[in-house]
Amino acid sequence: MLPAMNNQTHDSGRRYGGVDPAERTALRRASVLEAGIELFGTRGYAQTTLAMLSVEAGVPHRYMTQIFASKEAILREIYLD
């Protein structure tokens, strides 16, 4: 079973726009999950790519893959929520 989240983050410890790294990660995570709900629900899991999820979430691919190990991990988190 793949982990849902990688323990590594590459965000610097700096605040941007008043948002610290942990908050940025939480916001990105929520955006990816919302994108997953939308795209898996409208296009289907098999037809949805990580690139599509990244664009829909407005989260650069490199940050998305730091948060979720795979598309399966995103689906698992949605299901568990």
Side-chain angles (χ1 to χ4, degrees):
M1 186 146 78
L2 296 172
M5 295 179 61
N6 294 332
N7 292 329
Q8 299 176 356
T9 75
H10 297 288
D11 275 341
S12 69
R14 298 186 297 186
R15 294 176 70 88
Y16 292 101
V19 180
D20 68 35
E23 291 172 296
R24 284 194 300 274
T25 299
L27 291 170
R28 289 174 181 147
R29 183 180 185 283
S31 293
V32 172
L33 292 174
E34 287 179 31
I37 291 168
E38 177 64 27
L39 293 176
F40 296 156
T42 57
R43 295 182 177 270
Y45 176 80
Q47 301 302 317
T48 300
T49 65
L50 286 174
M52 292 165 69
L53 289 163
S54 177
V55 169
E56 180 75 19
V59 174
H61 185 74
R62 74 181 196 149
Y63 292 122
M64 189 175 73
T65 57
Q66 288 173 4
I67 301 167
F68 292 101
S70 66
K71 183 173 80 166
E72 179 184 343
I74 296 167
L75 180 63
R76 186 181 309 112
E77 287 295 314
I78 291 168
Y79 176 79
L80 291 174
D81 282 349

